[in-house]
Amino acid sequence: MSGTVRAVVLDIEGTTSAIAFVKETLFPFAEGALGGFLRARGEDPAVAGLLAEVRALSPGEEPEAALRGWMARDEKVTPLKALQGLIWRQGFEAGRLRGHLWPDVAPCLRAWAAGGIALRVYSSGSVEAQRLLFAHSEAGDLTPLLSGFDDTRTGPKREAASYAAIAASAGMAPADMLFLSDVAEELDAAAAAGMAACQVVRAADGTVASGRHPACATFPEVAARFGLPAPDVPPSG
């Protein structure tokens, strides 16, 4: 490891945002809107292409039924995540959804970006959904701070090759990058690729430290542990 962090790669669910927001707000919103969305937008080229992927992955089953089955099992299937992102876009743009962030997150992201740290997102949610959450967050539009977005099209989150690909895309050595996640197996994969790894252990989400990686409860703790710029004003709330 180089010891100097030049970039931070962020997980979302359980790391920047509450697990409850994803499971109790975003997922039910997409499930409730799915049928109407497919009827209204099913012929759009982008949506039709995703439905073709669904049919290829679940032959002999109606796409809506396959999608609802994946939703019920919370499967990380790429066309499902992409369609959820398109549905959430309508909700965010209509003002029916706002992206939850823990209060300590935005001040640190602003401080890190101002200090020259590159910020990227890697989540199982689609790039579309990632952009929407940060563009319509409770702390305002944070997308200008973010230099890259990756989802499962880059690769599975528990495989080291995915993190190597992210580093290559950023034009950096993995040793110059820090990955933040609540999931130990994802951190294992990032560390295997050569990245620094830190588990974000949010008490409100019930995360339990694995003992395999450094663990921090807040982003200011991450900043202190890894020598990143600290926010000027401590977050409230």
Side-chain angles (χ1 to χ4, degrees):
M1 304 299 294
S2 70
T4 300
V5 174
R6 296 176 55 209
V8 177
V9 183
L10 305 158
D11 172 52
I12 293 179
E13 184 180 352
T15 302
T16 66
S17 308
I19 292 173
F21 171 69
V22 177
K23 294 192 180 301
E24 298 175 11
T25 299
L26 290 184
F27 284 176
F29 185 91
E31 184 178 6
L34 178 65
F37 178 84
L38 294 179
R39 288 190 292 274
R41 300 277 305 277
E43 300 301 320
D44 292 0
V47 177
L50 291 170
L51 291 176
E53 291 186 44
V54 173
R55 293 186 183 94
L57 290 170
S58 186
E61 187 174 18
E62 285 298 319
E64 183 174 343
L67 289 163
R68 291 194 182 280
W70 293 336
M71 285 180 174
R73 296 186 295 274
D74 191 20
E75 296 193 21
K76 314 299 185 185
V77 184
T78 296
L80 166 64
K81 294 300 181 181
L83 285 165
Q84 285 174 323
L86 294 175
I87 293 170
W88 291 331
R89 178 176 184 175
Q90 293 185 338
F92 279 114
E93 292 182 345
R96 297 174 62 192
L97 293 171
R98 290 183 70 200
H100 173 267
L101 295 176
W102 294 110
D104 58 271
V105 170
C108 282
L109 296 188
R110 293 188 175 108
W112 297 348
I117 304 298
L119 302 175
R120 301 179 65 93
V121 177
Y122 181 32
S123 172
S124 58
S126 68
V127 167
E128 170 82 5
Q130 297 169 24
R131 290 183 181 277
L132 288 167
L133 188 150
F134 284 100
H136 300 274
S137 85
E138 297 166 344
D141 183 2
L142 301 181
T143 55
L145 306 178
L146 302 169
S147 61
F149 298 84
D150 289 279
D151 58 20
T152 53
R153 292 190 187 277
T154 297
K157 294 189 72 182
R158 301 188 182 196
E159 292 187 6
S162 303
Y163 299 87
I166 290 170
S169 176
M172 295 186 187
D176 293 330
M177 307 182 81
L178 168 65
F179 179 55
L180 304 180
S181 175
D182 60 316
V183 179
E185 291 78 9
E186 296 175 2
L187 297 166
D188 292 343
M195 288 187 186
C198 180
Q199 187 174 18
V200 179
V201 181
R202 302 274 185 188
D205 278 336
T207 310
V208 176
S210 69
R212 301 199 296 272
H213 304 281
C216 295
T218 67
F219 275 33
E221 288 184 25
V222 172
R225 183 148 194 170
F226 290 89
L228 299 171
D232 293 331
V233 180
S236 61

